Amino acid sequence: MTYRVCFVCTGNICRSPMAESVFRALVKEAGLEGLVEVDSAGTGGWHEGDGADPRTVTVLADNGYDSVHSARQFQPSWFSRLDLVIALDTGHLKALRRLASTAQDAQKVRLLRSFDPSADGDLDVPDPYYGGMDGFEECLEMVESASEGLLAAVREDMEGRVA
C-alpha cells in the first residue's frame, strides 16, 4: 500500500515544491520509491499550471535536487487518499484544517517543522517570495532539517500499518 504525503504552501511555487523535491530525494535515497508518493499543492490557485519560482529551481539545482513541478491548488477531496498533509506555516495549517470534513482528516495536517527536533518555538517556514535568494536558501535549510524527522515518522507509520 502506497503512503501519500502532500506538502502545502500558499501558491505552490516556492516552499511546497521545495519540500516536495527534498523529501522525494530522501524517499529515493532510503529505497522507499514506489512505497511513498510525494507531491505538493497550494492553498490558493493563483499559480495553477506554473512551474516553481526560478529562485526555488536555482536553489534546488545548486544543492543537487530535481525540480520538475506544476503548481496546483489543494482540493478537500484529496484528504481521503492522503496519509499526511504537511503545511509549511501555521496559516496553511489552519486553512487546511478548515477544509477537512472530518476530525480524522484534520489530524492528517501537520507542520513540517514539527518534525525538526532543532526547531525552537516558531515552526513556520517563512515565505521567501518577496525577498532575495538568501530567503530561498534559508527555506531549503529549514526544509532539509525537518525532512529527516518526517521520513522517520513516515517509516514508523508505515511499519505500524503492517504490524
Side-chain angles (χ1 to χ4, degrees):
M1 175 182 257
T2 303
Y3 193 96
R4 292 176 173 87
V5 179
C6 183
F7 294 93
V8 181
C9 70
T10 305
N12 193 218
I13 60 168
C14 296
R15 293 172 283 179
S16 58
M18 188 178 290
E20 175 186 357
S21 293
V22 169
F23 196 65
R24 183 175 287 121
L26 276 180
V27 163
K28 184 176 181 177
E29 183 179 302
L32 297 174
E33 205 172 26
L35 297 173
V36 178
E37 183 179 292
V38 184
D39 61 20
S40 65
T43 56
W46 311 279
H47 298 286
E48 278 190 301
D50 294 347
D53 184 290
R55 297 166 293 179
T56 296
V57 173
T58 297
V59 168
L60 287 170
D62 287 352
N63 288 277
Y65 296 105
D66 292 329
S67 60
V68 176
H69 177 72
S70 182
R72 61 197 187 133
Q73 183 174 1
F74 186 87
Q75 301 299 314
S77 61
W78 297 354
F79 277 113
S80 63
R81 67 175 176 82
L82 293 169
D83 297 289
L84 278 176
V85 180
I86 304 298
L88 276 289
D89 71 27
T90 53
H92 307 132
L93 179 84
K94 291 174 185 174
L96 289 162
R97 286 190 173 158
R98 280 193 304 270
L99 291 175
S101 60
T102 68
Q104 182 181 0
D105 286 346
Q107 289 175 356
K108 294 178 181 182
V109 184
R110 302 274 307 273
L111 278 169
L112 176 63
R113 292 195 70 214
S114 69
F115 295 97
D116 182 353
S118 69
D120 55 352
D122 185 3
L123 297 181
D124 288 353
V125 175
D127 187 352
Y129 185 76
Y130 294 104
M133 285 301 289
D134 57 333
F136 285 82
E137 291 163 358
E138 178 186 20
C139 180
L140 179 62
E141 289 171 14
M142 290 179 174
V143 165
E144 287 178 328
S145 186
S147 291
E148 290 287 345
L150 174 58
L151 182 61
V154 167
R155 279 182 193 249
E156 184 177 319
D157 199 17
M158 290 172 66
E159 289 170 8
R161 292 177 183 198
V162 174

